[in-house]
Amino acid sequence: ICSGASSSLQTTPNADAYSWTPTTGLSDPTISNPIASPTTTTTYYVDITSRGGNLIKNGNFEDGNIGFTSGHIEGPIPGNPLGAGMFSVIEDASLVHPAFDPCLGTTKKLVVNGSTTANTDIWCQDVPVTMNTDYDLSFWALSVYTGNPAVLEISINNQQVGGPNPLTPGPCNNTIVNEVWNSGTNTIATICIRNQNIAAAGNDFAIDNILFRTICQYRDSVTVYISDPQLTISSVNLLCNGLSNGSASATVSNGHQPYSYEWSNGNTTA
């Protein structure tokens, strides 16, 4: 580009994150197509992060109570509300306990009355994984009753991943739980969600939209050349009036090749 001009950089659209370096001369180093206005020739590098498809089966619970195991008992018992240590896959939480808030009762979710025994599995699933690969695990959860919100944690292959995640107090306030895990030498990930709150009162919640996805990272580069051409014209005069043995030539410096030429007589060579 010419000195003082700008150019739009382009890379893979619709990725999850972008990081351009150096940031000098860029309109926004975190988007796929920043405007570059460098003052000198600059090579820009872009690191792209994207996530693969969801590896969890029935992570949105729309297929009901299949695809996972639980240390809780499926309920409720007919004629009784959902008791401690029980779960139900249902749209409206108030249908399994009259004190529960419906909380956006339009899609199925895993509704749980927390166990009074610590480290009881709420939800578990085995997922094949590739060794030495980063994975992103996320889900949302919310309380369906006021008081004693659950404290959820993720376990993979019986190892805690990340810290405990206390739910936002009050019913129906979404909490997003998100952790990154590297598979190391593992080829199977036994993923479990557990609750560290063992209070009998309150401790009622719902979980939905469980995602486990490969984190893919790529790097590419592009060089923006700054061209500030200086033109020098040299000539050879005619030997005699009326002859056509004169010439003119152009020499360009401080530019970026290839050059193109256009003389007033239509000639396109230097």
Side-chain angles (χ1 to χ4, degrees), residues 4-252:
S6 299
S7 179
S8 176
L9 307 184
Q10 303 286 336
T11 188
T12 305
N14 303 320
D16 294 312
Y18 301 90
S19 177
W20 292 86
T21 54
T23 60
T24 304
L26 293 183
S27 60
D28 186 341
T30 64
I31 61 176
S32 64
N33 56 341
I35 302 299
S37 306
T39 57
T40 60
T41 295
T42 303
T43 297
Y44 290 103
Y45 296 88
V46 59
D47 293 297
I48 303 170
T49 301
S50 63
R51 287 163 177 79
N54 189 16
L55 301 176
I56 297 295
K57 296 178 181 178
N58 193 30
N60 60 6
F61 298 101
E62 291 306 306
D63 291 332
N65 63 345
I66 65 172
F68 67 94
T69 60
S70 178
H72 289 59
I73 301 169
E74 186 173 12
I77 298 171
N80 294 278
L82 195 72
M86 302 181 76
F87 77 87
S88 180
V89 177
I90 197 166
E91 295 177 358
D92 185 339
S94 67
L95 296 179
V96 294
H97 198 298
F100 289 176
D101 194 292
C103 291
L104 304 175
T106 57
T107 59
K108 290 181 181 178
K109 57 186 74 68
L110 182 67
V111 177
V112 182
N113 189 327
S115 173
T116 56
T117 302
N119 296 314
T120 301
D121 293 333
I122 301 164
W123 174 97
C124 292
Q125 188 174 120
D126 290 342
V127 180
V129 294
T130 302
M131 291 191 295
N132 302 310
T133 301
D134 286 333
Y135 291 86
D136 180 90
L137 175 63
S138 67
F139 61 90
W140 66 254
L142 50 77
S143 295
V144 295
Y145 181 78
T146 302
N148 291 326
V151 180
L152 303 182
E153 70 175 26
I154 297 168
S155 168
I156 300 182
N157 297 341
N158 286 316
Q159 298 293 318
Q160 183 175 333
V161 178
N165 300 275
L167 300 190
T168 305
C172 307
N173 293 320
N174 239 359
T175 297
I176 303 297
V177 178
N178 189 200
E179 302 291 352
V180 173
W181 174 76
N182 184 276
S183 58
T185 59
N186 294 288
T187 57
I188 294 290
T190 299
I191 306 169
C192 292
I193 301 173
R194 295 170 177 164
N195 180 17
Q196 293 306 311
N197 186 353
I198 58 173
N203 198 20
D204 308 304
F205 54 95
I207 295 173
D208 202 0
N209 200 31
I210 304 173
L211 302 172
F212 187 62
R213 299 175 292 175
T214 307
I215 298 176
C216 306
Q217 294 182 314
Y218 313 92
R219 167 168 272 215
D220 205 348
S221 65
V222 61
T223 300
V224 179
Y225 293 93
I226 300 300
S227 182
D228 188 17
Q230 306 297 315
L231 181 63
T232 301
I233 303 294
S234 59
S235 63
V236 176
N237 293 327
L238 298 174
L239 292 179
C240 293
N241 187 29
L243 298 180
S244 58
N245 56 355
S247 65
S249 61
T251 302
V252 182

